[in-house]
Each structure stands twice: as structure tokens, then as C-alpha cells.
Amino acid sequence: MKKIYLLLMATLLVVGCTLDREPETSLADPNFWKSEKDLRGACNRLYIDLPGFSHDKRSDELVGPNQDGVSSGNRSVPGTSGDWTDPYKKIAVCNNIITKGETVPVSEEARNRWMAEAYFFRAYHYFDLVKKYGDVPLILKVFGNTTDPDIKRARDPRETVIQQCYTDLEFALKWLPKIDALKSESDWGRVSQSAALGMIVRIGLYEGTHSKYHQTTGSDHKAHLKRAIDAAETMIYTEKKHDLYADFQKLFYFDGEGGQNKESVFVKIYGPNGAGTITHNNSRGLENTAAITRSMLDNFLYSDGLPREKSPLVKRPEVRLNDVLENRDPRMSMTVYAVGEEAYKGTYKPFKTDDQAHGYGYPIKKGFMLDQWATNSKETVDKMIIRYAEVLISYAEALYEYNGNISDQKLDETINYVRQRVGFNVKLTNAFVQSNNLDMLQEIRRERMVEFIDEGLHYDDIIRWKTAEEVLPKAVLGLLYNPEDTPVKENELGGRLTDANGYYKGEKLYDEGNIFVIEEGGSRNFDPKRDYLYPIPSYEIGTSGGNIKQNPYWGNEN
């Protein structure tokens, strides 16, 4: 399954200089673009450029040792930013392949099979830009010279860009192979029809809900949701190529790698295993850079299927840290460490940060492997970018947002099927929601939050749901403190605990005492008129000849 990356590296030694430079319409590389092998080799670069593991601290999900500028609202307009330039560099590679691929003397079928990969990745990177910036310049060609007016192109409406993403993905869907044709070692990890469908599900749900809650001008939110629904139904009921992996915990280990794992829809390959050819530092990052906040932990349901604010199983008052882990959705014990468990550097002891730098949040267990941690940032387990559980839960959410309701049958096929995988057999049904005075949409969203912790989805979710203005300005809370759980004395914590009634500096922060305050609410801000979009770097505005305007409330260029 890892052989693809040996081939990638070998190919890049040959064609890397061609793909790295600014794209051009004239073929200055006469010894390339002559065969199907060249097309495949050019596409290999697209996989190297694919983002890998990270621990996203932009939302209320994770917290790190230092305050995150996006999460806290403490950022300014940058001069330059890779958030803008990196996707455009990758889009330029896609455009180069699409343009020069037309000249390769091969059959239409052979050409389109490889150009479909470039179309897929172009849509992937444009979606990344739209999520951050909204309207962005839509560049679909290579530049022949520096006088081309599109070099200083103004921003196109986000709806125009998203429609182009759909067009690119429909081309990809037509010409990419089915995923079960990619199970050889040399092909596993390449994008498939499943990946194209999965991206349509992701984009359709994002734009549909974003349009609905932000009231985006010129966008039909139901049309986007319908695209997500149709693509999901094709995957679930027509193609039937995917299923959930049986073991949630091992899903993120080497056990879950390769074509035998039908949950994998779109994967970034690392390795070969043990060889360290292309690596990451996910396990080290779990130890050193991120921990789960108390607000995110509270999304896990109790074993009766009820949330913390309604379940009689909640232990009050909480005395020991492990009290919060009792009688919960089984995914909780697979996601965070309990006191006394073997963790990053031996037995987990809360607040002991000299050798466990996750700090005062809940330490992440999901995906941690000690043998990989020991490689010292040369980890090679693959990363799932889209997995089938996302398709199922996104389908449920899109159905509810589209229709205003969802049947018990659809809940069984989506939410309850995902719960069943971990042995959480309390079903979400319409009757359960009604009898317990719950909100169906919130319960669907809750399922998404707990299933995908530390998988890079939550920030995008609170942006599209327009809930960032509610959750981000609040104080960031972490662990419950009890001196019997940790060698750290209370006076060594800096006095950052809520009192017995959940107050801190006169402000009610929680319904329990002795909760650690990681970041005070006064240090955090979110301006709903400004912060749902990123600021455009000043360099891009200054070099556009006045064509590119700044996003609202980020400066004078509006």
C-alpha cells in the first residue's frame, strides 16, 4: 500500500523542476508530456502537496500551550500568508497538468483518467480558499506572460467558485476509477470516484448550511444540500463500496490502513511503514501541542443517550477527574486518557506538564501510538481525509437541513449505525428526542462533534453553522482538579480554578467547582461582522492594482 510514495519521490526527481516553477502555456520542457507515464508522474506531485496531520486549535475543540490567534480573535491582517498563497500554488500545478495534458499523444480515456486527478485537486484547493476567504479569484489557466490581466484578477463570487468546484468534481467522477480498482500497492491512495463523491458531500453540506445561516447572496442553500444528499445516496445505496471499520480505536492505527478498510474514502499515504520516506509527527503532536477542552468533552452523551444537562447519570459533584468519564458514550474512553492509564510517557497524571506537555486540557488518546511516538517525528501511519462515517453523518445532517425532519429509518442507517460500531446502542429516534425535549438538529451535530474530534472538521462546522460567535468568546476550560489525582499542588496552578459554585473572578463559568480556567473570557473575542472570514494578506491587495478588496472590517480596503 506504501509503494506509491516510492514512485512519487522517484518521479519528482525527474519532473519536480517542471512542476515547481510558474506554469506557462508554452511547453518549455520538450522531453516531458509525451506519454501516459508522464501524465501519471505529473499527477504524483498533487499527492505530495496534500495537507497532512495537524491538530487544529482554531475552534473550541482543542487547546494548546499558547493561545491560538484565530480561536481567541487576536489576529491582524498579515503581509503575506500561506493560507492564501499555498492553495494557489497547488492550483497552478493542477492548471499546468490540465493545460499541458491536452497535448499528450494518448487516447481520450487515458488522458482524462489522469486529468481527472488534477480536476479533483483543483476543486479541493479552491474549496479550502472559499472556506477561509469567501470570494476569491478563480484562475483556470496558466499564464503565458506577466502582462496577462488575470494575474491581477479581482475576486469572483464564492458561488461562482463553488460551482466550478462541482464542475471539476463531476469531471473527476466521470473519469476516475472506482475505489476497488485501486487496491494494488502502486495505486492505493490515489483518488477515486468515491473521493469525488465524498468531496461533493462535504462541499454541498458546507455551502448549503453556510448559505442558510449566513444568508449568502446569490446562493440557493437547498440546491447545495441536494447535491450533498444525491452524492451521499449514490455512495450509500447505489455504489455500496464502503462500510464502517469494525474497531473505532484501531481505525486510526496501522490496522486501519489499505484497501481492506472500506471506511477509507480519501487518504493521504505515508511511509513505507518503518522506512520513514514521507513522515509526520501526529503522536508527538498529541503529546505536545493539543488537548481537548471541557466544552468539547461535554458533548459526549451518557450511557442513557442523554446529554450532560439532562442525564440523571451525571455524578454531582464531580470529585475525581475520572468521574466525568463514567457512564458515557464508549467513544469517550477511546478518545481521552483516564487517570492511571498508560499514556505518552507512562501513567497519566493530570496537570503534570514537565513530561506531558498537553497542559491542563484532556489528553488525546485517539490515534496515539507509542511505537510511532518513539520514532521521534518519523511516523508513517496513513491519514484518512474523508472516511465513510463522515458521509453517513453528513447525509443525516443534510437531510434534516433540507427537509426540516428525518425519519427513524434514515437515523438507523446513519447516526445509529455509527453508534452501533462502538457498542453505543441507545438509538436516536424522533420519539426519543420528543420525549426528552431534545433538539434533533443539535443531536445530529453532537454526533458529528464527538465522532470527529481532532480530525480537522470542527472549525469549519462552527463557521458554517454560524455558532462561532457563541462558542469562541467564552473562557476555555480544562480539567477538574483534585490533589489526589496529581502530584501538582493547587498553589502551583496559579489560582486558575473555579470556586465551588463554578465562578471565576466573579463570573459564572460552569456548574461545577475546581475546573481549571485555561484562557479567561476577557482574553478572547469574536466579531461576527468580521471573523467569519480570514483577512486577505495586504501584499495580495497591494499588488492587484486595486482589484482585490479586503474582507469587511479587516481594514480600510473595503
Side-chain angles (χ1 to χ4, degrees):
M1 84 186 74
K2 303 283 190 171
K3 192 179 293 183
I4 182 174
Y5 268 85
L6 292 176
L7 297 174
L8 294 183
M9 296 304 292
T11 302
L12 286 175
L13 291 174
V14 176
V15 304
C17 58
T18 298
L19 296 175
D20 276 338
R21 67 168 177 254
E22 288 297 317
E24 51 192 28
T25 52
S26 60
L27 294 181
D29 37 355
N31 295 320
F32 202 67
W33 310 107
K34 296 295 185 182
S35 66
E36 184 176 356
K37 181 181 178 181
D38 291 342
L39 272 174
R40 177 187 174 112
C43 287
N44 287 348
R45 176 57 185 265
L46 304 173
Y47 296 88
I48 296 293
D49 285 342
L50 189 63
F53 282 93
S54 64
H55 303 286
D56 188 354
K57 297 178 284 293
R58 294 176 298 167
S59 73
D60 58 324
E61 177 186 52
L62 304 180
V63 63
N66 300 306
Q67 190 175 63
D68 182 83
V70 177
S71 168
S72 65
N74 294 313
R75 55 177 170 164
S76 57
V77 178
T80 59
S81 174
D83 289 314
W84 179 280
T85 56
D86 288 352
Y88 274 114
K89 289 177 181 178
K90 296 165 186 176
I91 288 165
V93 173
C94 297
N95 288 340
N96 199 32
I97 293 170
I98 292 167
T99 298
K100 294 182 179 180
E102 292 288 354
T103 69
V104 178
V106 294
S107 68
E108 179 186 23
E109 182 176 2
R111 176 184 298 108
N112 288 346
R113 182 262 177 274
W114 298 107
M115 289 176 66
E117 292 196 359
Y119 278 108
F120 173 90
F121 280 97
R122 185 167 73 177
Y124 179 89
H125 295 303
Y126 265 122
F127 180 50
D128 181 38
L129 282 166
V130 166
K131 287 186 296 180
K132 291 186 174 80
Y133 296 101
D135 301 347
V136 294
L138 180 61
I139 308 297
L140 303 177
K141 63 181 181 181
V142 293
F143 296 124
N145 54 67
T146 58
T147 63
D148 191 316
D150 276 349
I151 291 177
K152 299 182 177 182
R153 184 183 181 93
R155 299 162 71 186
D156 292 276
R158 71 180 294 148
E159 181 70 13
T160 300
V161 181
I162 290 299
Q163 290 300 326
Q164 183 62 50
C165 290
Y166 290 141
T167 298
D168 285 358
L169 290 170
E170 291 293 346
F171 183 95
L173 182 59
K174 180 178 179 180
W175 293 102
L176 287 174
K178 295 185 183 297
I179 195 166
D180 50 12
L182 297 174
K183 292 188 177 180
S184 68
E185 286 192 15
S186 60
D187 284 332
W188 176 248
R190 304 200 83 96
V191 291
S192 64
Q193 290 179 8
S194 293
L197 286 167
M199 278 303 300
I200 293 172
V201 173
R202 181 177 283 187
I203 294 174
L205 177 63
Y206 187 97
E207 285 301 302
T209 50
H210 187 283
S211 174
K212 179 177 180 178
Y213 293 109
H214 292 262
Q215 300 181 337
T216 307
T217 302
S219 176
D220 180 350
H221 78 272
K222 281 207 162 187
H224 290 293
L225 291 170
K226 187 64 164 60
R227 280 190 179 268
I229 290 167
D230 289 347
E233 289 181 342
T234 298
M235 294 186 75
I236 298 167
Y237 304 117
T238 305
E239 293 294 329
K240 299 180 180 179
K241 301 291 184 183
H242 295 276
D243 202 351
L244 299 180
Y245 189 72
D247 190 320
F248 179 76
Q249 195 150 32
K250 291 182 179 179
L251 173 64
F252 306 98
Y253 300 164
F254 288 115
D255 308 62
E257 288 191 337
Q260 51 82 29
N261 178 5
K262 293 185 178 181
E263 189 161 349
S264 297
V265 174
F266 178 28
V267 183
K268 181 175 175 68
I269 305 296
Y270 288 89
N273 291 343
T277 306
I278 296 182
T279 64
H280 58 84
N281 65 343
N282 184 57
S283 291
R284 289 270 170 167
L286 292 175
E287 177 199 3
N288 294 318
T289 66
I292 300 173
T293 65
R294 179 60 191 249
S295 63
M296 181 55 59
L297 199 76
D298 283 344
N299 284 304
F300 284 94
L301 295 170
Y302 281 78
S303 55
D304 55 7
L306 293 174
R308 187 176 190 276
E309 60 271 19
K310 290 183 177 289
S311 176
L313 299 176
V314 178
K315 188 170 183 178
R316 297 183 188 277
E318 294 174 13
V319 178
R320 304 295 293 271
L321 185 141
N322 285 355
D323 289 348
V324 75
L325 307 178
E326 295 179 3
N327 299 314
R328 303 301 283 266
D329 176 338
R331 283 171 292 191
M332 177 178 274
S333 65
M334 303 177 194
T335 302
V336 299
Y337 282 108
V339 176
E341 276 194 278
E342 290 300 305
Y344 312 122
K345 292 181 179 178
T347 302
Y348 170 56
K349 294 180 180 179
F351 298 98
K352 190 172 181 290
T353 59
D354 56 337
D355 64 347
Q356 293 174 326
H358 44 73
Y360 299 157
Y362 287 86
I364 306 173
K365 180 180 186 179
K366 176 182 175 182
F368 178 80
M369 291 184 287
L370 184 59
D371 61 342
Q372 288 292 282
W373 175 91
T375 65
N376 195 17
S377 301
K378 295 182 179 180
E379 304 174 42
T380 54
V381 69
D382 297 341
K383 173 183 172 59
M384 286 173 291
I385 298 172
I386 300 177
R387 55 187 179 94
Y388 188 56
E390 181 189 343
V391 174
L392 294 176
I393 295 174
S394 294
Y395 178 49
E397 185 183 347
L399 282 174
Y400 190 88
E401 292 283 14
Y402 187 84
N403 296 314
N405 59 74
I406 183 171
S407 69
D408 286 349
Q409 178 183 344
K410 293 299 183 184
L411 288 169
D412 281 346
E413 293 168 351
T414 55
I415 303 297
N416 295 326
Y417 189 52
V418 173
R419 289 184 180 184
Q420 180 184 334
R421 187 243 298 269
V422 294
F424 188 37
N425 296 319
V426 180
K427 287 188 174 184
L428 179 64
T429 66
N430 284 280
F432 185 85
V433 166
Q434 185 175 8
S435 63
N436 290 286
N437 196 26
L438 300 173
D439 180 289
M440 178 63 81
L441 179 58
Q442 180 56 35
E443 294 311 303
I444 293 171
R445 290 178 176 182
R446 187 195 308 276
E447 194 71 24
R448 183 178 181 90
M449 287 189 278
V450 301
E451 175 73 18
F452 301 110
I453 283 178
D454 195 34
E455 294 186 50
L457 297 181
H458 188 58
Y459 177 77
D460 290 341
D461 288 341
I462 64 172
I463 295 298
R464 65 185 178 89
W465 294 335
K466 206 174 184 292
T467 59
E469 62 201 72
E470 301 169 18
V471 300
L472 291 188
K474 296 179 180 178
V476 178
L477 303 181
L479 301 171
L480 172 76
Y481 177 81
N482 184 307
E484 295 182 41
D485 289 329
T486 176
V488 179
K489 294 180 173 57
E490 185 173 345
N491 61 9
E492 296 172 341
L493 299 176
R496 298 172 66 88
L497 293 177
T498 61
D499 67 19
N501 296 310
Y503 283 84
Y504 177 75
K505 292 187 175 180
E507 182 182 3
K508 181 74 168 177
L509 298 182
Y510 205 64
D511 59 1
E512 290 280 353
N514 295 325
I515 304 294
F516 189 79
V517 182
I518 300 175
E519 294 180 20
E520 297 177 22
S523 71
R524 301 175 61 79
N525 174 64
F526 188 91
D527 183 349
K529 296 183 295 184
R530 184 193 72 174
D531 291 331
Y532 279 108
L533 293 174
Y534 274 37
I536 297 175
S538 57
Y539 177 83
E540 306 303 331
I541 295 171
T543 58
S544 71
N547 291 324
I548 293 179
K549 309 296 182 183
Q550 182 58 274
N551 274 323
Y553 300 97
W554 277 108
N556 297 322
E557 306 92 345
N558 291 300

